[in-house]
């Protein structure tokens, strides 16, 4: 019994952290820049392909492959930002945003299928992370701990960036009152572009470290997008603690359900979503709009 | 008179056929405290908008610190030192009081490419926002989010942002309007403590406030400057009385 509870807890936390790491970029785009970026999953997937290619074809080591994946995805997204996303920051109608970003997603899926084929691409983790880790009272896969550490580091770093740096102050100012920020001489377009890059980079990072749980293949871009959107809407768009809480709660609901009643599939995940959204219509820690 | 800083030369502004300001000329010198008053509809707001660059004049020139600024943008005027305050809309509600002021300080100093420093802690910037908040008596609010401030406190914060932009001329746009009675004295005190070298032009309805604050008064009626002179003399001026009484009588008739 104790063992089952522990197993569920550990799996729930690591799954929750993967959800968080990928979804937080989406949450920032939605909460701060008011863009519903349905292509966020596609960017996470691109990160995964980059890492897989970097390790298996180029022989790079795992940490370096993560860096390549994040930077590579940002580079690929940059022209999309300049040509397309810039038009839909803060103000474009929701329908425009959805049509544009779902279009981008389909294009990326098509290209991924064409370039890499329909099969799953693995991202081999280094020996250091692939073995078991002795917690003292039981063994767990080291990679799980790594994923948890990545999630917590991301949350802390992002919180510091937004709440404690000059960039964060300018970003919040631009989000609050763009005209006044411009009048003070803040280049809001530059701030938005950098925020977009950060959001996409986080997606790519999450795509790589979460590839064990969410394998990289062309339909990844759509398959998990609903889950990411659910995390954002349950947590409240733009809220880091909200996304963290939502990821862990949903991770727990999903894992518990799959352990104890596997025949129900995703039932418990969506039951938790319905209950939370019913109790907190703005999300757990959403900014009132 | 001290060195002239702001000078209006025959400024007129018309909206279609309606002339809201007609041939207004005056000069504001370094460190002066001047009030601009006038009955409702006299064209005060339009005149201020022409000075700050929100509106272009139909005729006439606006000169600031020896430079013709008639065609300059609002940010360029702010940069030159012509700053308007008491517009709540300019506060950043997602930021704390200290961050609001620190941001204005950093932007003014051109520190636009610092990313990972903590704005409110940066040496130099920190001393400056603290000094400004202390001057205005709101230092204890530094860490509070703007959304938690009372209305009067928000106005003081706006004044703090104005000061952080290092103005030579500060335009106070109805500083006491809408402020609850118990908060109004704090605003007056803060205005009283503004650095002497800053020239201040206050647009105000409240005559008590005007007399406490200004040594020189400009009276606008029907878009024209009908009086310019000593604060003590303004109530004795026949034309000023007529303008105010006239509008009062008009108001009564309309009501």
């Amino acid at each position: 019994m104790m063992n089952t509870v522990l197993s569920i807890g550990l799996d729930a936390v690591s799954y929750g952290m993967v959800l968080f790491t990928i979804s937080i970029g989406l949450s920032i785009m939605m909460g701060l820049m008011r863009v519903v970026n349905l292509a966020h999953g596609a960017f996470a997937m691109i990160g995964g392909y980059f890492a897989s290619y970097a390790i298996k074809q180029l022989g790079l080591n795992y940490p370096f492959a993560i860096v390549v994946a994040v930077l590579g995805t940002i580079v690929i997204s940059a022209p999309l930002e300049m040509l397309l996303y810039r038009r839909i920051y803060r103000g474009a109608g929701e329908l425009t945003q959805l049509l544009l970003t779902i279009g981008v997603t389909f294009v990326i899926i098509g290209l991924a299928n064409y370039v890499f084929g329909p099969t799953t691409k693995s991202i081999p983790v280094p020996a250091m992370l692939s073995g078991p880790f002795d917690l003292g009272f039981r063994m767990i896969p080291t990679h799980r701990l790594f994923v948890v550490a990545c999630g917590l580091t991301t949350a802390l770093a992002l919180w510091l960036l937004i709440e404690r740096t000059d960039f964060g102050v300018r970003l919040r100012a631009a989000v609050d009152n763009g005209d006044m920020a411009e009048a003070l001489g803040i280049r809001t377009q530059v701030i938005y572009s950098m925020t977009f890059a950060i959001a996409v980079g986080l997606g790519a990072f999450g795509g790589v470290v979460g590839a064990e749980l969410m394998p990289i293949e062309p339909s990844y871009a759509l398959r998990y997008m609903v889950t990411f959107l659910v995390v954002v809407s349950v947590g409240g768009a733009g809220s880091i603690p909200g996304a963290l809480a939502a990821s862990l709660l949903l991770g727990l609901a999903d894992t518990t359900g799959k352990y104890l009643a596997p025949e129900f599939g995703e039932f418990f995940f969506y039951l938790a979503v319905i209950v939370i959204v019913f109790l907190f219509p703005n999300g757990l820690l959403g900014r009132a709009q | 008179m001290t060195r002239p800083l702001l000078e209006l030369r025959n400024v007129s502004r018309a909206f279609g056929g309606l002339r809201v300001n007609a041939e207004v000329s005056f000069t504001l010198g370094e460190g002066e405290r001047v009030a601009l008053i006038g009955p409702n509809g006299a064209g005060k707001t339009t005149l201020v908008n022409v000075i700050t660059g929100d509106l272009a004049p139909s005729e006439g020139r606006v000169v600031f610190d020896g430079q013709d600024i008639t065609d300059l943008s609002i940010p360029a005027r702010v940069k030159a030192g012509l700053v308007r305050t008491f517009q709540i809309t300019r506060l950043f509600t997602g930021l704390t009081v200290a961050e609001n002021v620190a941001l204005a300080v950093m932007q003014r100093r051109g520190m636009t490419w610092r990313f990972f420093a903590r704005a409110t802690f940066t040496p130099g910037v920190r001393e400056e926002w603290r000094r400004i908040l202390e001057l205005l008596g709101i230092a204890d609010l530094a860490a509070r989010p703007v959304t938690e401030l009372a209305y009067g406190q928000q106005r003081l914060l706006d004044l703090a942002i104005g000061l952080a932009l290092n103005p030579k001329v500060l335009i106070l746009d109805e500083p006491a309007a809408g402020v609850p009675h118990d908060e109004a004295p704090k605003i007056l005190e803060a205005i009283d403590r503004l650095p002497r070298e800053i020239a201040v032009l206050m647009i105000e309805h409240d005559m008590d406030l005007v007399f406490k604050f200004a040594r020189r008064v400009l009276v606008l009626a029907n878009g024209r400057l009908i009086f310019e002179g000593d604060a003590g003399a303004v109530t004795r001026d026949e034309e000023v009385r007529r303008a105010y009484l006239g509008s009062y009588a008009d108001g009564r008739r309309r009501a």
Side-chain angles (χ1 to χ4, degrees):
Chain A
M1 175 61 201
M2 194 60 203
N3 234 338
T4 315
V5 172
L6 266 174
S7 300
I8 292 177
L10 284 167
D11 277 2
V13 170
S14 54
Y15 179 53
M17 283 303 181
V18 168
L19 281 183
F20 171 78
T21 312
I22 303 179
S23 307
I24 190 62
L26 181 67
S27 178
I28 286 173
M29 285 283 281
M30 267 170 83
L32 298 184
M33 295 160 78
R34 303 270 181 272
V35 172
V36 182
N37 183 17
L38 293 183
H40 191 73
F43 291 126
M45 180 184 77
I46 292 175
Y49 276 117
F50 260 114
S52 175
Y53 187 82
I55 292 173
K56 293 205 291 198
Q57 311 295 319
L58 305 177
L60 298 178
N61 63 23
Y62 190 70
F64 200 55
I66 292 180
V67 175
V68 167
V70 170
L71 295 181
T73 309
I74 291 175
V75 168
I76 283 189
S77 73
L80 295 174
E81 196 271 337
M82 280 183 258
L83 295 171
L84 302 174
Y85 280 90
R86 221 166 257 195
R87 297 157 196 269
I88 59 169
Y89 292 153
R90 305 187 64 73
E94 281 94 351
L95 187 64
T96 314
Q97 297 186 352
L98 295 183
L99 289 175
L100 184 107
T101 57
I102 200 76
V104 169
T105 309
F106 286 137
V107 171
I108 292 176
I109 290 175
L111 285 174
N113 220 338
Y114 181 77
V115 177
F116 297 103
T119 54
T120 300
K121 291 276 177 270
S122 64
I123 303 174
V125 294
M128 210 183 92
L129 293 179
S130 57
F133 186 87
D134 191 353
L135 279 182
F137 53 95
R138 60 168 289 152
M139 310 289 270
I140 60 157
T142 311
H143 190 259
R144 293 277 154 87
L145 285 184
F146 173 70
V147 165
V148 173
C150 285
L152 291 177
T153 310
T154 303
L156 184 67
L158 206 53
W159 182 81
L160 285 173
L161 180 72
I162 293 176
E163 298 295 330
R164 288 283 183 269
T165 66
D166 289 6
F167 174 77
V169 169
R170 288 203 186 85
L171 171 60
R172 284 180 286 144
V175 165
D176 260 4
N177 193 339
D179 290 341
M180 183 57 205
E182 289 270 349
L184 281 180
I186 295 171
R187 277 167 288 184
T188 52
Q189 183 61 64
V190 175
I191 300 278
Y192 289 152
S193 299
M194 295 183 67
T195 309
F196 177 85
I198 290 169
V200 165
L202 285 171
F205 178 61
V208 178
V209 300
E212 298 266 292
L213 290 163
M214 299 177 188
I216 302 300
E217 34 97 19
S219 67
Y220 179 111
L222 280 180
R223 174 171 297 173
Y224 303 111
M225 200 55 220
V226 173
T227 315
F228 305 149
L229 283 169
V230 161
V231 168
V232 174
S233 56
V234 165
S239 162
I240 298 170
L244 200 55
S247 301
L248 291 173
L249 263 176
L250 295 173
L252 185 66
D254 191 55
T255 313
T256 313
K258 281 182 177 157
Y259 260 90
L260 302 180
E263 65 277 17
F264 282 86
E266 307 261 272
F267 175 79
F268 289 102
F269 180 85
Y270 288 104
L271 182 69
V273 172
I274 291 168
V275 171
I276 296 172
V277 171
F278 188 75
L279 293 175
F280 304 93
N282 282 326
L284 291 170
L285 292 161
R287 301 176 170 209
Q289 309 256 319
Chain B
M1 193 165 104
T2 53
R3 184 169 71 98
L5 272 179
L6 176 68
E7 196 184 337
L8 269 66
R9 295 180 184 158
N10 288 314
V11 166
S12 301
R13 168 73 206 199
F15 294 95
L18 181 68
R19 252 187 152 194
V20 178
N21 290 138
E23 290 152 24
V24 176
S25 298
F26 69 83
T27 306
L28 188 64
E30 193 172 43
E32 265 203 294
R33 297 285 188 273
V34 176
L36 175 66
I37 64 171
N40 280 327
K44 300 188 295 288
T45 306
T46 304
L47 190 63
V48 168
N49 284 336
V50 167
I51 296 172
T52 55
D54 289 282
L55 285 173
S58 312
E59 287 162 58
R61 312 303 297 174
V62 181
V63 177
F64 181 74
D65 208 8
Q67 182 199 359
D68 188 325
I69 60 162
T70 317
D71 302 316
L72 233 52
S73 69
I74 299 174
R77 290 180 203 218
V78 169
K79 212 172 165 143
L82 178 60
V83 173
R84 175 190 203 166
T85 67
F86 293 120
Q87 292 173 294
I88 298 291
T89 52
R90 124 165 123 176
L91 302 179
F92 298 112
T93 48
L95 272 55
T96 64
V97 169
E99 284 171 341
N100 264 279
V101 183
L103 184 63
V105 172
M106 285 195 309
Q107 291 300 128
R108 188 200 80 228
R109 292 187 175 189
M111 300 158 76
T112 51
W113 285 106
R114 298 170 52 93
F115 284 131
F116 297 111
R118 186 169 176 187
T120 47
F121 283 176
T122 306
V125 175
R126 173 166 59 170
E127 286 74 31
E128 195 168 340
W129 67 252
R130 280 220 180 122
R131 186 176 54 71
I132 292 169
L133 291 184
E134 272 160 23
L135 178 76
L136 300 182
I138 50 173
D140 53 322
L141 302 175
R144 297 266 291 276
V146 169
T147 41
E148 286 179 14
L149 299 187
Y151 190 71
Q153 292 170 331
Q154 291 190 10
R155 300 212 128 194
L156 288 175
L157 174 56
D158 189 77
L159 186 58
I161 292 174
L163 284 179
L165 297 170
N166 205 14
K168 290 180 183 141
V169 169
L170 200 53
I171 297 174
L172 307 183
D173 205 345
E174 302 196 16
V179 176
H181 268 292
D182 52 329
E183 289 186 73
K186 284 211 157 170
I187 290 186
L188 246 186
E189 271 171 47
I191 292 172
D192 224 35
R193 283 199 295 255
L194 291 177
R196 285 288 119 197
E197 65 275 14
I198 299 177
V200 183
L201 178 67
M202 181 201 277
I203 292 83
E204 187 51 67
H205 284 295
D206 185 338
M207 293 307 278
D208 286 344
L209 200 54
V210 167
F211 289 130
K212 276 183 196 144
F213 159 82
R215 258 147 290 161
R216 198 153 65 91
V217 175
L218 306 168
V219 183
L220 206 59
N222 295 321
R224 287 177 187 280
L225 213 51
I226 60 165
F227 177 88
E228 178 179 3
D230 194 61
V234 67
T235 47
R236 295 193 297 275
D237 186 90
E238 199 50 43
E239 202 174 349
V240 173
R241 281 182 183 216
R242 249 203 322 276
Y244 268 90
L245 286 175
S247 90
Y248 180 66
D250 278 352
R252 289 281 290 242
R253 228 175 293 144
R254 255 183 259 123

